[in-house]
Amino acid sequence: MVNDMKVALIQKCKYLSEEEKVELQKAIEFSEKAHIYQTRATGEPYIIHPLEVCLILSEYEADLISLICALLHDVVEDTEVSLSEIDMHFGSHVAFIVDGLTKFEKGVLAKEEYSAANTEKLLSMAMVDIRIAVVKLADRLHNMRTLAIKRIEKKIPYANETLLFFSPLAEKIGLYKLQEELEDLGFSYLNPPRHTRFKKILNDYTQVHYELFNQFLHKIQEEDSSKFIVHTDWKKPPLFQLYNLVSEGHNLQELFTIHVTTRTSLNCYTVLGTIHSLFEPVPDQFADQIAIEKHPFLEHLETKVKIDDLILHVIIQDEATKNYYEHGVFGKLKENKKQSLSNSLLGNSIHSVKTIAENSIAFCELISLELFQKEITVFTPKMDVIILPINSNVIDFAYALDPSLANRMSFAKVNNEFQSPQTVLLDMDIVEIHTKNKLTVDTKWLHHVQTSKAVKEIMEVVNKGKSIPKY
């Protein structure tokens, strides 16, 4: 079985150069030797796990370093192999990623502290190299695939953590196929009866949507005489996310999305005109995420149209964005330096949270709120874009824009109307900050802000002992 898996892995990685395949084979042999005589809870040789993790990443055509790290991700934690040996055999990049994936010695730490400390280490080091998070996600997926052998008291918390932390992390870095499987497996262990019932509802609606999609496809293919469209398909949110959205009252038909792919971003606007001429647009449902960037790698237009009195949600994208949907972070590793890529995907939240969190548990609580919650787009009067977590207010906006302005803020205009600093902002609001010539920071602001950056900046002023209004 192991030999078959090794052969299958090399065949799966046919996109690598011959030199890279030699390095991959070297890593396979190194991992197999390190884990010799070890077995998993399934009774299988331990080497099957790193091979499976590597196979998961090969589905995304992962780069060589990620594949090697998948093979070696447990050797320092579970064997006598040291990080210096990894560095000597495979280089400093691989050693750094393996270090990021290696848990601390547990020592006297309580279970919750230990888990939080390892999560903080993982995310902090992923800010330097996003591939740490990528390999960890593939590791989690294979562990979820083999979770059935665990006792029920182990399954539930593991599945819950998968749904609350690892699935949003997968979405954040564009590993959508991996996220779908994580959510399906996680939901099935968390609540098997509800999972089964909802999948039945979903399968029934999929047949309806498929017929609507075919009607849509037939009409636009007839109209697209200049062949601007290169591909059309449809997608749905991951299962647990979809279940929660429906539970909140969202209409199932609007949660499925049709993805129309064009050659260039300019072609997207032409195709938008074609779609709106063929189908009735739903008012106030158009969003331009090409001109107004919400995500560094997902540039598209969104609209909703009616067909047979049913609403279809349509995304129009170029081929580069389609590539990101399919390959996630690996579609960008070749174009971006890993440091800038990591910052683009995870933002500055981790740095800010680390400065204000008193311990690892507080770090995990804050980062889960900030990094994975929904976002809104807010503008300056000059139409500069500020991305904020949902429920952020004027104070959060001001500190995201310019802390020196925020520290002197007296009031703001939101959509040209005077508002207090505590006003909660909505998606697409336009905010204008008005200032005084002195510090106006109010310690009460700490009770209203949502972002760690705002908390950090306010606390810096407070701790410097400057003139803060007292209440």
Side-chain angles (χ1 to χ4, degrees), residues 67-136:
L67 296 172
I68 290 174
C69 292
L71 291 164
L72 306 180
H73 74 276
D74 277 337
V75 294
V76 174
E77 188 175 318
D78 293 342
T79 77
E80 298 300 315
V81 175
S82 66
L83 279 173
S84 59
E85 287 179 76
I86 299 292
D87 193 339
M88 180 175 67
H89 289 285
F90 298 99
S92 59
H93 290 310
V94 171
F96 181 82
I97 295 171
V98 171
D99 184 21
L101 293 161
T102 302
K103 293 177 182 175
F104 293 115
E105 292 287 338
K106 191 172 188 303
V108 296
L109 288 177
K111 184 177 180 180
E112 187 181 6
E113 289 179 280
Y114 179 64
S115 176
N118 286 311
T119 299
E120 182 176 5
K121 177 185 179 182
L122 175 81
L123 290 177
S124 298
M125 294 183 73
M127 282 294 295
V128 181
D129 195 325
I130 195 66
R131 291 173 290 190
I132 293 171
V134 170
V135 177
K136 184 64 178 178

Side-chain angles (χ1 to χ4, degrees), residues 166-362:
F166 287 100
S167 172
L169 181 60
E171 182 175 12
K172 197 79 177 177
I173 59 180
L175 301 180
Y176 301 112
K177 288 183 289 186
L178 191 150
Q179 182 195 13
E180 285 180 15
E181 190 174 350
L182 281 178
E183 292 215 4
D184 197 351
L185 290 167
F187 192 11
S188 71
Y189 285 113
L190 195 66
N191 194 320
R194 199 166 290 178
H195 171 265
T196 301
R197 286 196 302 270
F198 189 68
K199 283 202 87 167
K200 173 68 168 60
I201 292 169
L202 197 58
N203 289 337
D204 290 345
Y205 177 72
T206 298
Q207 297 302 315
V208 176
H209 179 81
Y210 188 66
E211 291 177 12
L212 290 172
F213 171 71
N214 282 334
Q215 288 184 52
F216 176 90
L217 184 60
H218 179 69
K219 283 194 175 184
I220 62 167
Q221 283 178 337
E222 282 187 336
E223 192 70 18
D224 184 38
S225 56
S226 299
K227 303 301 178 189
F228 290 114
I229 298 170
V230 295
H231 186 72
T232 308
D233 60 7
W234 60 273
K235 302 180 186 299
K236 62 182 184 299
L239 191 66
F240 189 65
Q241 188 181 119
L242 189 60
Y243 169 78
N244 285 327
L245 289 167
V246 171
S247 299
E248 291 168 7
H250 292 272
N251 195 318
L252 193 58
Q253 70 187 44
E254 295 181 44
L255 298 174
F256 281 61
T257 51
I258 293 176
H259 288 235
V260 179
T261 305
T262 69
R263 298 190 190 283
T264 67
S265 57
L266 190 60
N267 290 159
C268 292
Y269 294 94
T270 305
V271 171
L272 175 70
T274 300
I275 291 170
H276 280 182
S277 69
L278 292 171
F279 308 100
E280 180 187 349
V282 178
D284 303 319
Q285 293 298 312
F286 170 68
D288 187 339
Q289 293 187 28
I290 296 175
I292 301 168
E293 182 184 282
K294 277 193 172 185
H295 188 285
F297 311 126
L298 295 180
E299 298 182 354
H300 59 238
L301 306 177
E302 288 188 57
T303 188
K304 290 181 180 178
V305 297
K306 288 184 179 179
I307 180 168
D308 293 343
D309 292 324
L310 295 174
I311 294 175
L312 290 181
H313 185 180
V314 183
I315 287 175
I316 309 166
Q317 64 196 12
D318 63 10
E319 289 182 296
T321 296
K322 179 177 183 293
N323 182 57
Y324 184 74
Y325 271 111
E326 291 176 351
H327 297 106
V329 66
F330 296 111
K332 291 292 175 180
L333 270 173
K334 299 166 190 172
E335 306 167 28
N336 294 266
K337 293 180 180 177
K338 64 179 185 299
Q339 179 74 66
S340 62
L341 180 65
S342 302
N343 278 310
S344 296
L345 293 168
L346 296 180
N348 296 315
S349 298
I350 292 172
H351 290 309
S352 299
V353 169
K354 283 178 74 69
T355 62
I356 64 172
E358 295 179 357
N359 52 49
S360 294
I361 292 175

Side-chain angles (χ1 to χ4, degrees), residues 144 147 154-164 186 189-190:
M144 286 299 295
L147 192 61
K154 296 275 189 182
K155 290 178 185 177
I156 299 299
Y158 200 79
N160 193 49
E161 183 187 42
T162 296
L163 293 169
L164 295 180
Y189 285 113
L190 195 66

Side-chain angles (χ1 to χ4, degrees), residues 376-379 386 388-398 412-415 419-431 433:
I376 58 172
T377 302
V378 187
F379 302 95
I386 302 293
L388 294 167
I390 195 167
N391 295 323
S392 294
N393 58 28
V394 170
I395 306 168
D396 294 299
F397 171 87
K413 284 185 176 180
V414 179
N415 303 326
Q419 300 289 352
S420 73
Q422 292 85 4
T423 301
V424 174
L425 299 173
L426 301 176
D427 195 39
M428 310 304 281
D429 278 346
I430 299 173
V431 182
I433 302 298

